[in-house]
Amino acid sequence: MKNYSISRLAKLFDLSRSTLLYYDRIGLLPATKRSGSGYRLYTESDRERLERICLYREAGLSLNDIDLLLKNGDTLGNAVLEERLRAIGRQILALKDQQRMIVAMLKIKCDGTVAVADKALWISMMRAAGMDESGMKKWHAEFERQAPEAHYELLRLLGIEEAEAQAIKAWSTESR
Amino acid sequence: MKNYSISRLAKLFDLSRSTLLYYDRIGLLPATKRSGSGYRLYTESDRERLERICLYREAGLSLNDIDLLLKNGDTLGNAVLEERLRAIGRQILALKDQQRMIVAMLKIKCDGTVAVADKALWISMMRAAGMDESGMKKWHAEFERQAPEAHYELLRLLGIEEAEAQAIKAWSTESR
DNA sequence: CATACGGTAACGTTGCGTGACCGTAC
DNA sequence: CGTACGGTCACGCAACGTTACCGTAT
């Protein structure tokens, strides 16, 4: 059975040495053994534990919650995961509020006109807001219905050319 | 002209005393004057500055960025706001990845069946994912098309009654 | 005199990164 | 003998919250 040195194990998961030192300190992943000269020796089961830790970290769980998950069974585990799911939902909603606030601020600063610098920014924002093709279409249609003039102006401001703007107008109103 | 004491100003914006002490320490909002006995006296313009600080904080800007925004003009200001907009987009996308990971984990743990505890959780998750009514419909329709059996089972697991489940099946397939 | 307010200073939180300083493996 | 690795502190970041201890206003 092979042992991993701290840096080798770190590299396996693309972590830093100090991360593993930290996990050791807080007891999340203590090195099972030590060499004669006091070097940490990680075993295969340490590696497996770290693999789970990394997975849960990618899911955004706190190290504390991960510790709980690894200690306890599925009953508590599911509860922890579900709570994290709820927290993510709350976070996303909060971030969307922030998006709206910032867009409003950008509008205000340039008295009446939207001043988002580039199309890519706007689109990535809409994408992030959960907009897929059909959502985009609905949004453009709604904008067109409520304020066709401003809609057109926005398209121009986003750097969308005349031709493309016409196409979007057509597309967003076609089968309705 | 009236001065505000630290706690009175804090209460005006629903902040704590220590928050204002902190803003003073880091130079974000230093109290303009001090009383004879060394008490902080905040002026009206301090109040206005704090108002802007709070607004930007609600938009998720860091205190450092807020400091920049308050010091510099609109040119830099817009750049800061737009960068924040981009960061929010990235964050939301990351959170959605986390949602998918956790849902996958919950699936795995209960070999094949989704085990999300309640309907409200699922719906808030979908909502957060940017699902509106039409998105929901599309999603249900797709699920129904790919795996009607599992779709039905999911609806039951979410605590949706027989009657409602039938309604959703009908609704998601109606005009298609 | 009580108590509600003010002040400063220091430590705790989360998840590490960074650096110092020193020993060890090859 | 060099240098690439290992070890243990200890401090720094963000944005405060939380004592603690002491002075002041009323």
Side-chain angles (χ1 to χ4, degrees), chain B residues 77-88:
Chain B
N78 277 355
V80 171
L81 290 176
E82 288 175 19
E83 175 48 32
R84 174 64 192 152
L85 213 43
R86 265 181 279 265
I88 292 175

Side-chain angles (χ1 to χ4, degrees), chain A residues 33 121 166 170 174:
Chain A
K33 302 182 294 186
L121 170 58
Q166 296 288 353
E174 61 183 19

Side-chain angles (χ1 to χ4, degrees), chain B residues 113-132:
Chain B
T113 21
V114 179
V116 176
D118 58 310
K119 183 180 169 185
L121 170 59
W122 189 263
I123 289 182
S124 79
M125 202 191 90
M126 300 298 274
R127 281 252 119 74
M131 289 288 183
D132 53 4

